[in-house]
Each structure stands twice: as structure tokens, then as C-alpha cells.
Amino acid sequence: MIPYVTDIPDIDIPSHMLPGDGRFGSGPSKVRPVAVEALARAAGGYLGTSHRQRTVKSVVEKVRRGWTELFGLPDGYEVVLGNGGTTCFWDAATFCLIEHRSQHLSFGEFSSKFAAAAVAAPHLCEPEIVSSEVGTHPTATAREGIDLYALTHNETSTGVMMPIRRPEGAALPSDGGGLVAVDATSGAGGLPVDPTQFDAYYFAPQKCFASDGGLWLALLSPSAQERIARIGASDRWVPAFLDLSIALENSKLDQTYNTPALATLFLLDDQLSWFNENGGLPFSTGRCDRSAEILYTWAEGSDFATPFVRREQDRSHVVGTIDLDASVDAATVAGVLRAHGIVDTEPYRKLGRNQLRIAMFPAVEPDDVAALCACINHVVGALAS
Ligand SMILES: *Cc1c(COP(=O)(O)O)cnc(C)c1O
């Protein structure tokens, strides 16, 4: 555990060195000020109005279309949304996507949680859990009897990303193979993905989509929709709030089953439009690539910082984890940064490393990542003298 820092050394970072925006948290993460201003302008005719009427339904319709465009979804895929965030979607998936037995890649706090939900579900068989050391990722293996492969695009707790591919040798779901379900909460919009490689790609808007938490979004292939319909028609009891067939039905009408947060929808639509108007996924992922290049190049050249993730291709382009030398206390560095308005660079608490964790979602300016690196150098230099 990183101890709570009470004594922040009195170190001054000159204001000209500070990043333009000091939010580097991994979720909730930076919301672009222009989106908040747009919301304030629209508020009078939008906030506090019925989600069953045109004003709000048109925003839902626009985000559903926006994601179809951003990800280049093939015909027949549906964009579905509901309340409760990704954590809620895991429970919905244990009811409506896993038929009997799932396989989970577990390589950090978030990926282990969906696995735990499947273990706890009394109506499912014991899942297969494939784990690897923190800082690495395991590989999915095609196996008889597995009807869902659970992957995580970016493990936010450790800063490891993995390419999304169907398991080697696995039959397509339309030929009896398992569905591929991907937790893309921190990866969606910031990392490239080929939609033919997944059946469910789910996320929440408080990371790359620069909005607030509380919603879940899922891109569902025709095979995933068939699975939902088949389980829906079976005698399995499913709570209505977690019933993906109800969510699918409502989404097709540009609605949610119960009341969504309208500000959240507005902000995520603003971010999604910003992506699509500037070139789509190559634009949004390109920003993350640039930030990651700056961060890891700095760490590799530093005599006190090292990228935590050993293999270069596993180092996340959306959430960077940087170990500091034992002679430099990361909590103190994060504390000095915080005192200057540079917030949420602390590591994931359960990882317990002498580390800084830095979000590089598309809303973050690559130049601000460069300024952050210079500020860290300045703080560490001042601590040593
Ligand atoms: C943030 C995060 C979650 C949790 O999302 P909630 O919306 O808070 O439930 C799950 N998985 C990953 C990979 C995350 O980064």
C-alpha cells in the first residue's frame, strides 16, 4: 500500500512548466472543457426533459450511429446501452451471454472481477481461468465446451494492453464456437480494434469517451444477439435490470430500460462527434499513440523511472504505469504534483508498487504528457537536492 502522504515537501514547480490541464486520472478521467461549455449552453432545453421524448432520444440515436461509424461495425451489429456501468454489464453477461461455461483471461484487478462473477453464478459451470503475472497478459486458447471467451482490451490496473483476436483455431460462433466478449472499458476509442474479432465489445463512458460514469455500452454481433435471444427464451430466470434482451429492445428504440443520466449522454456524444469529425478511430488512437511514445521514451531515458510493463508491445497506449527507483518515493512525487493541480497520478492502490499511473486517453493533450514528464523530472531533482 502507498501510505497516505501527510507531509508534502515544499517544492515549487514553476507555473510555465505545468501542463495546460492537470487531469491524468484513469477514470473518471479528463472531460474536455469545450464539452462542458456546450452542455451548459444546451442545458435549458435538454437537462430535466423526458428521456422518452425526441430531444433525448435523438442523442441516443446519434451516439448509436456514432459508434457504428467510429468502429466500422458490420451489418447486423447493434449498439446497446443501459444503466450501471461495466460492473453491471458483467452481471448481465453472466445471465445473458454465458450459456454454460466461459474462459477468462485474468491479469489484473478488472479482468479478475468478471471471472469472479462467473465463478459465483450458481447457474453456470465452473469457468476456466487463465492467469498471468501482473504486467503481462495470458493468451486465450480454443477449447471444446467453452461458449464465451472473456478478454480485456486494456487492464487499467496494470497498464497492459492486448490485441483483440479470436482464439487461434476457434470456430466462429455461427459454426458452434464460443463468443468473444471484450471488456474494453478503458481501451474503446483509444486502441485499434477489428469488429469481426469480437461478439461483444463493452465499455463505459468515463474513460476514452470523456464523460461521466454510470452507463454501460455494448457493441453486439449477430451471434451475441442470437445468444441473448436463445437464453431469453429458455427457462433461466433473469432479473429485468440485467436482461440484455430488454436492453436490446429498448436500444433499438433509442431508449434505455430506465432513466439514464442526460449530462453523461451529452458529454459522450460530444466526444464521439469530436472523434468522428476529425478522422475517426485513427484520429483518437493516434493521439494516444503520440502520448504513449512521449511517456515511454521519457521513462526509458530516465535514470530513476522505468516502464513497469516489460514487453514493449504490451505497454498500454491509454494507461501508462511507470515504476520509480526505490530512492524516489512515488507517493511523495504524486503528492507534490497534486499540490500543483496535477491530479490522480497515484498507482492502482491494490498493485502496491512504487509507481505512477498516467492516463493518456484521447482527451489528454500529448503536449501535456510531455509537460508532466518535465514536471516529474523537476520534482525528483528538487527532492534529491
Ligand atoms: C474502469 C474499468 C471497469 C469498471 O467500470 P465501471 O463503469 O466503474 O463499472 C471495468 N473494467 C475496466 C477494464 C476498467 O478500466
Side-chain angles (χ1 to χ4, degrees), residues 150-366:
L151 276 46
T152 300
H153 206 171
N154 183 74
E155 179 42 83
T156 319
S157 65
T158 61
V160 171
M161 64 178 186
M162 65 175 289
I164 297 307
R165 276 188 227 111
R166 294 188 184 277
E168 180 98 31
L172 287 171
S174 50
D175 296 326
L179 300 174
V180 170
V182 184
D183 177 356
T185 309
S186 56
L191 302 177
V193 70
D194 170 1
T196 65
Q197 298 295 319
F198 63 70
D199 299 293
Y201 189 75
Y202 58 92
F203 48 97
Q206 71 273 23
K207 301 188 184 180
C208 292
F209 290 99
S211 181
D212 242 331
L215 277 182
W216 59 257
L217 305 311
L219 319 178
L220 299 178
S221 75
S223 295
Q225 296 167 53
E226 275 165 33
R227 176 73 59 86
I228 290 165
R230 189 163 69 236
I231 292 176
S234 73
D235 57 7
R236 179 183 290 176
W237 173 73
V238 177
F241 189 65
L242 302 176
D243 191 334
L244 293 178
S245 59
I246 294 178
L248 185 56
E249 198 180 302
N250 275 279
S251 295
K252 284 180 176 172
L253 299 170
D254 298 321
Q255 300 196 43
T256 47
Y257 178 51
N258 65 323
T259 316
L262 304 193
T264 304
L265 282 171
F266 187 97
L267 293 172
L268 83 82
D269 171 51
D270 192 279
Q271 182 79 348
L272 188 49
S273 301
W274 182 55
F275 290 174
N276 280 332
E277 284 161 16
N278 285 282
L281 212 50
F283 165 74
S284 58
T285 61
R287 289 175 62 87
C288 301
D289 293 347
R290 235 166 23 256
S291 291
E293 165 97 41
I294 291 166
L295 182 76
Y296 296 125
T297 303
W298 161 76
E300 298 232 283
S302 165
D303 54 10
F304 64 85
T306 323
F308 165 55
V309 176
R310 191 112 21 96
R311 291 196 334 155
E312 201 178 329
Q313 66 268 40
D314 298 346
R315 287 178 193 157
S316 171
H317 288 197
V318 279
V319 175
T321 44
I322 305 295
D323 276 346
L324 300 190
D325 188 82
S327 63
V328 182
D329 180 40
T332 302
V333 175
V336 174
L337 294 173
R338 186 173 282 282
H340 288 81
I342 301 174
V343 300
D344 302 336
T345 60
E346 290 83 3
Y348 192 76
R349 60 205 143 76
K350 287 193 195 153
L351 200 55
R353 295 186 70 88
N354 189 43
Q355 179 174 97
L356 297 175
R357 183 174 64 148
I358 293 148
M360 303 175 285
F361 296 137
V364 172
E365 292 299 331

Side-chain angles (χ1 to χ4, degrees), residues 128-142:
E128 181 188 9
I129 299 176
V130 189
S131 307
S132 72
E133 291 286 299
V134 289
T136 68
H137 69 79
T139 311
T141 313

